[in-house]
Amino acid sequence: MFYVIALYMILSLGLLFGAAELERRAITARRRGPNGRAMLTALLVSALASLVVLVIGGFAEGWIYILHILGGSILYHGIMGISLVHGLQEVSARTARERLPARA
């Protein structure tokens, strides 16, 4: 079961950091199209994939194990969502400051 969770975490981190990089590039290029869609989609896909891991954990380790995986998944997605969106907000603020004309 450890290997399933480790593989899921590696794939999820790659997906979330990839989406954050797409959003960062869109912000720095001043494109208005994405507006967080890549990040939201990545979080939803990762959360749905964690449900698959939840079911696998239930069959492999017993159904009480689901509570541990579910709690960890909620905590993981909450922390990743908050930290990545906070980082993107900093990039957006920095890009907006660079755009403003200098005041005399």
Side-chain angles (χ1 to χ4, degrees):
M1 191 61 217
F2 172 77
Y3 294 117
V4 173
I5 293 174
L7 179 64
Y8 162 73
M9 292 297 289
I10 290 169
L11 293 175
S12 176
L13 285 172
L15 178 69
L16 292 175
F17 285 139
E21 180 63 19
L22 285 174
E23 294 290 339
R24 186 195 65 77
R25 287 183 183 187
I27 290 169
T28 56
R30 294 184 172 92
R31 284 184 291 189
R32 295 186 185 262
N35 292 332
R37 261 184 259 144
M39 183 54 91
L40 179 63
T41 304
L43 279 168
L44 287 175
V45 167
S46 179
L48 290 175
S50 74
L51 294 177
V52 173
V53 173
L54 187 86
V55 171
I56 292 171
F59 282 119
E61 299 290 331
W63 293 104
I64 195 71
Y65 195 69
I66 286 179
L67 296 175
H68 298 102
I69 298 174
L70 182 63
S73 175
I74 291 169
L75 186 65
Y76 167 74
H77 287 96
I79 290 171
M80 288 301 291
I82 290 169
S83 64
L84 290 175
V85 169
H86 178 70
L88 290 173
Q89 286 175 338
E90 288 179 0
V91 169
S92 180
R94 186 174 57 238
T95 303
R97 280 193 305 266
E98 292 172 358
R99 185 181 226 181
L100 293 175
R103 292 185 179 179

